Amino acid sequence: MLVHALIREDGTVAADELYTVANTLGMSDQQVRLCVKRLVAEGRFTHEGRGRKARLHATEDTTRALAPNADFLRHAFHQDAGLAPWDGVWHLVAFAVPESARTARDSLRETLVHLGGAPLQGGLYVCANTWEPYVEEAAHRLGAHDALTLLTTTDLRRGETQEPAELARRLWPLQEIADRYHRLSRIAQPRLALLTGATELSPPALLTIAVELAAELTRAIEPDPLLPPQLLPQPWPGTQARELIARCWAALHEREQGESRPALFRLYADITREAAERTAR
């Protein structure tokens, strides 16, 4: 996460910056060296130079996957602003992948959960959002598209449970997801105070705060199915946490002073600013 978070818009990571931020976060130089070695061996980066004067170059695949959750984060802010109300439609995916393709089957299951799906029965998953393009892209990539069945319904029942909010409570681990957002808020609040205070913060200090926020945001949002507000307990802690994060990104952006920042942070700042502008309109 640290290495990916520090990729600049030209696709490079400066080793000196990487070691400095890692040390501030309590990581040793040896940990960084081993991580870089593994990333290069996996073909995610190329490497030039030595020690703290080295520079990493992200490969095309790494650059493309820099912010895989960008669409979902954008959708979350739209939900928070009331711009993505639920239409009452449940989206279902069924699949039957043979044992001979177990790896593809397991990867498809993991992908469906990552996209916000919950299992109903063996090989049958449900989501409250329009996820078909993402599901089909993953299935094509895994060679399992012919095994998919896609359908939608407004009449979903599990046993005697039919009320949508109660179904959501039974299908997704909402308390665990809420706890992650409570943690994100606890992390964001003191950092927002630092960013909006009068204390001068060095570039490495700003990068460290940004990496900490990005890591906690990822920890919170990756397992979140981004259920519509109509299906969630209110007030929902995810809304408050994302509002704090948006203020942090705005404060980080104000402190840029024309300096080049990592692409991931610029992307997050653009998403939160876009959501604020749409809400204002």
Side-chain angles (χ1 to χ4, degrees), residues 119-134:
L120 288 171
Q121 307 284 346
L124 178 62
Y125 287 73
V126 63
C127 181
N129 295 307
T130 302
W131 64 343
E132 287 81 359
Y134 301 99

Side-chain angles (χ1 to χ4, degrees), residues 194-274:
L194 273 175
L195 290 168
T196 56
T199 303
E200 198 68 33
L201 296 172
S202 67
L206 291 171
L207 278 174
T208 300
I209 290 173
V211 168
E212 290 172 324
L213 292 173
E216 290 301 327
L217 177 60
T218 299
R219 186 199 304 269
I221 203 167
E222 278 197 344
D224 185 357
L226 299 181
L227 297 173
Q230 295 91 329
L231 302 181
L232 292 170
Q234 297 298 328
W236 178 241
T239 303
Q240 178 195 20
R242 287 188 290 264
E243 192 270 336
L244 283 169
I245 282 290
R247 292 169 64 190
C248 287
W249 291 130
L252 279 166
H253 184 66
E254 288 179 6
R255 286 180 177 259
E256 280 186 355
Q257 298 180 345
E259 297 178 28
S260 172
R261 293 291 183 212
L264 182 63
F265 307 150
R266 186 66 59 85
L267 174 62
Y268 283 171
D270 289 345
I271 289 173
T272 54
R273 185 168 57 250
E274 172 194 322

Side-chain angles (χ1 to χ4, degrees), residues 98-244:
E99 179 67 20
S100 58
R102 178 189 299 179
T103 300
R105 184 184 62 197
D106 293 345
S107 295
L108 186 56
R109 284 176 181 154
E110 292 173 4
T111 298
L112 293 176
V113 172
H114 177 72
L115 292 174
L120 288 171
Q121 307 284 346
L124 178 62
Y125 287 73
V126 63
C127 181
N129 295 307
T130 302
W131 64 343
E132 287 81 359
Y134 301 99
V135 171
E136 291 197 273
E137 187 279 328
H140 275 299
R141 177 166 38 83
L142 294 168
H145 189 263
D146 289 344
L148 283 185
T149 299
L150 307 174
L151 62 150
T152 59
T153 183
T154 56
D155 180 20
L156 180 65
R157 286 177 288 170
R158 192 176 198 187
E160 298 299 319
T161 304
Q162 187 173 13
E163 199 277 318
E166 180 62 18
L167 276 172
R169 189 184 69 81
R170 290 172 178 258
L171 290 170
W172 285 276
L174 298 186
Q175 187 56 57
E176 178 184 327
I177 295 165
D179 289 343
R180 289 173 180 262
Y181 279 117
H182 285 306
R183 174 186 167 92
L184 176 57
S185 291
R186 290 194 300 270
I187 296 292
Q189 284 170 339
R191 285 153 182 80
L192 178 61
L194 273 175
L195 290 168
T196 56
T199 303
E200 198 68 33
L201 296 172
S202 67
L206 291 171
L207 278 174
T208 300
I209 290 173
V211 168
E212 290 172 324
L213 292 173
E216 290 301 327
L217 177 60
T218 299
R219 186 199 304 269
I221 203 167
E222 278 197 344
D224 185 357
L226 299 181
L227 297 173
Q230 295 91 329
L231 302 181
L232 292 170
Q234 297 298 328
W236 178 241
T239 303
Q240 178 195 20
R242 287 188 290 264
E243 192 270 336
L244 283 169

Side-chain angles (χ1 to χ4, degrees), residues 4-55:
H4 283 193
L6 293 179
I7 298 175
R8 300 283 177 169
E9 292 181 337
D10 63 358
T12 66
V13 178
D16 183 54
E17 193 169 79
L18 173 60
Y19 281 104
T20 299
V21 175
N23 293 162
T24 305
L25 292 170
M27 303 176 195
S28 69
D29 285 4
Q30 178 68 2
Q31 283 178 291
V32 176
R33 282 193 291 271
L34 290 174
C35 178
V36 169
K37 184 177 180 180
R38 185 173 69 250
L39 290 171
V40 172
E42 292 173 353
R44 300 186 189 185
F45 289 84
T46 59
H47 182 272
E48 65 173 344
R50 296 175 60 83
R52 288 178 175 261
K53 294 183 178 180
R55 188 169 296 273

